[in-house]
Amino acid sequence: MQLPQLVNMFGSDLQRRYGEKIHKLTLHGGFSCPNRDGTLGRGGCTFCNVASFADEQMQQQSIAEQLAIQAQKVNRAKRYLAYFQAYTSTYAEVELLANMYRQALTQAEMVGICVGTRPDCVPEAALDLLAGYREQGFEVWLELGLQTAHDKTLKRINRGHNFSCYQQTSRLARERGLKVCCHLIVGLPGETHQHHLATLKAVAKSGVDGIKLHPLHIVTGSTMARAWQAGRLSELSLEDYAFSAGEMIRHTPKEIIYHRISASARRPTLLAPLWCENRWNGMQAVGGYLQRHGGQGSALAVGQQYQP
């Protein structure tokens, strides 16, 4: 299976443009989240336990130290993107953001920066700051955690914003020439295959440069974990994920770049589904579905209707 032949993947796109492999190095900037510190709420989104995707010990080290440690783990690339991943990486005064981002971009081997955040925590001053790096020639991606375009689900998972908030932030970013990557979760409570496809279509229609797909993880420390342990929440099957993700990709215009089509978490933090312990399980299942039914944009090309 050759995923780059089926999906416009980020790694392949970077290699085409830079002529070499570019690797993302994850960073922890010590940021908080307005959905945890009481500004919007406490406890965070119902699916969230940041320890499932970020090393909390990292925030004790400087940005330069984190980059050096992360680079030592990579042997297939010599140039990098600095990825501020944990929590809400625009949730601070712009002066602090500028200092932190500058520490990353002054490393000689850096080609750019990716900033993960919430759509309701991106002031225009932060967008202007990021746009300035783009004007200096850096690769700049604003990664917005939307998860779903359905306001009912956003409220149910205690997200703290609506879809129109995402649309506005995405528009302001793209007006400044910033690339926007939208994070989406497949398998949120109450959502069906039709919801997933409707989200994809709404995001594509609003204008987007990249997409990340995540299967819903049930992780310790989250509100969903308690519901799952009490038997009130079912887990996402690998087959259902491959179907929904595959159809979303098939309905995605070919120019949109997929930064990720699956994700993983580790036990004991991961409770369910256990196939998410290895992201290759999801990637192979989605890739197999696309091989059988057509790659990215194929449903658009032939005008096929979505059939659940």
Side-chain angles (χ1 to χ4, degrees):
M1 178 182 66
Q2 295 295 320
L3 269 178
Q5 296 175 8
L6 298 166
V7 188
N8 184 8
M9 297 295 294
F10 190 39
S12 298
D13 175 73
L14 288 171
Q15 188 149 4
R16 283 194 300 270
R17 291 190 289 114
Y18 287 92
E20 62 181 301
K21 188 172 181 62
I22 307 295
H23 193 87
K24 290 177 75 171
L25 303 179
T26 58
L27 298 170
H28 197 316
F31 298 99
S32 182
C33 174
N35 211 12
R36 285 178 171 270
D37 68 7
T39 303
L40 287 175
R42 295 194 181 278
C45 304
T46 59
F47 58 81
C48 186
N49 174 355
V50 76
S52 66
F53 60 83
D55 184 352
E56 295 288 294
Q57 299 300 316
M58 287 175 60
Q59 65 179 303
Q60 307 301 323
Q61 301 159 331
S62 71
I63 297 300
E65 289 171 338
Q66 290 184 46
L67 287 171
I69 292 170
Q70 294 294 317
Q72 289 175 358
K73 301 176 182 178
V74 179
N75 56 17
R76 295 182 297 165
K78 296 182 179 179
R79 302 180 75 193
Y80 312 103
L81 284 165
Y83 179 26
F84 286 87
Q85 179 186 31
Y87 288 117
T88 307
S89 296
T90 55
Y91 189 48
E93 296 295 328
V94 69
E95 292 80 10
L96 177 61
L97 298 177
N99 179 58
M100 199 166 294
Y101 298 161
R102 191 183 306 115
Q103 290 181 55
L105 290 172
T106 51
Q107 307 299 310
E109 64 276 14
M110 291 295 156
V111 303
I113 186 172
C114 302
V115 177
T117 189
R118 295 166 52 92
D120 56 349
C121 291
V122 192
E124 293 201 41
L127 293 175
D128 291 339
L129 176 66
L130 292 172
Y133 300 135
R134 184 195 66 81
E135 292 167 2
Q136 294 172 36
F138 289 107
E139 178 104 6
V140 181
W141 284 88
L142 183 68
E143 301 201 16
L144 296 176
L146 172 62
Q147 321 311 350
T148 176
H150 301 282
D151 286 345
K152 182 178 179 179
T153 305
L154 289 171
K155 183 176 181 180
R156 182 175 183 176
I157 63 175
N158 195 40
R159 187 66 187 163
H161 64 75
N162 56 20
F163 181 52
S164 65
C165 176
Y166 165 83
Q167 290 175 300
Q168 179 180 7
T169 300
S170 176
R171 176 181 58 80
L172 291 172
R174 298 182 87 234
E175 284 176 354
R176 289 166 168 81
L178 297 173
K179 297 179 180 180
V180 172
C181 177
C182 180
H183 291 214
L184 301 175
I185 295 178
V186 172
L188 289 169
E191 293 205 344
T192 64
H193 297 303
Q194 291 91 338
H195 287 95
H196 305 151
L197 190 64
T199 285
L200 181 281
K201 290 181 175 180
V203 167
K205 184 178 180 179
S206 70
V208 72
D209 304 283
I211 292 174
K212 273 188 178 179
L213 295 183
H214 303 251
L216 178 66
H217 298 161
I218 308 300
V219 293
T220 58
S222 68
T223 301
M224 282 189 186
R226 295 193 291 274
W228 177 81
Q229 289 166 332
R232 299 193 305 272
L233 182 65
S234 59
E235 61 188 70
L236 178 67
S237 73
L238 181 57
E239 294 75 16
D240 280 344
Y241 182 71
F243 181 76
S244 277
E247 285 301 316
M248 292 169 79
I249 293 169
R250 292 184 67 242
H251 284 80
T252 301
K254 290 186 177 181
E255 65 272 16
I256 295 175
I257 300 167
Y258 271 88
H259 290 225
R260 180 181 293 164
I261 64 169
S262 187
S264 63
R266 297 185 180 90
R267 285 189 278 184
T269 301
L270 175 68
L271 296 176
L274 294 183
W275 61 263
C276 285
E277 193 169 23
N278 188 330
R279 67 188 178 97
W280 294 107
N281 293 329
M283 293 177 67
Q284 289 177 334
V286 174
Y289 183 90
L290 296 174
Q291 279 187 315
R292 295 189 299 273
H293 300 281
Q296 182 172 338
S298 61
L300 299 174
V302 298
Q304 294 178 356
Q305 298 298 310
Y306 178 70
Q307 296 293 335

